Amino acid sequence: MYVIVEINGQQFKAEEGKKLFVQHIQDAEGGATVEFEKVLLVDNNGTVTVGAPIVEGAKVVCEVVSPLVKGEKVLVFHKKRRKGSRKLNGHRQQFTELTIKQVIA
């Protein structure tokens, strides 16, 4: 059984026991339980239920493993030819690591 759930504006496929890296959740603390009720689709062993826009009564219960995880470093390099102009910026996206404890549908 799996569900498609919307977390912070992004859609994720959620199954029990699976780990997710979602966009950073501000109020999350390590070990806390978080519930998401924006379930868009439920697949229960081949029986598919599609919400309009969400499935009523369905939710995903997650546990926060790590409230702040930094992603890979992305380097952004700008250069203008023949001008001697160069600029290098780096960025590391912040994520929250979740473990799915229960899928209620």
Side-chain angles (χ1 to χ4, degrees), residues 40-55:
L40 306 174
L41 180 135
V42 176
D43 183 359
N44 192 359
N45 299 327
T47 305
V48 177
T49 305
V50 179
I54 62 172
V55 178

Side-chain angles (χ1 to χ4, degrees), residues 21-79:
F21 289 92
V22 300
Q23 295 295 323
H24 181 61
I25 301 172
Q26 294 291 331
D27 304 335
E29 295 180 5
T33 302
V34 183
E35 294 182 0
F36 300 103
E37 297 180 354
K38 282 192 171 181
V39 177
L40 306 174
L41 180 135
V42 176
D43 183 359
N44 192 359
N45 299 327
T47 305
V48 177
T49 305
V50 179
I54 62 172
V55 178
E56 295 297 326
K59 66 180 177 178
V60 177
V61 179
C62 302
E63 179 184 351
V64 178
V65 177
S66 177
L68 180 63
V69 177
K70 290 189 176 181
E72 293 292 318
K73 185 162 210 169
V74 178
L75 296 176
V76 181
F77 184 72
H78 295 284
K79 180 180 186 297

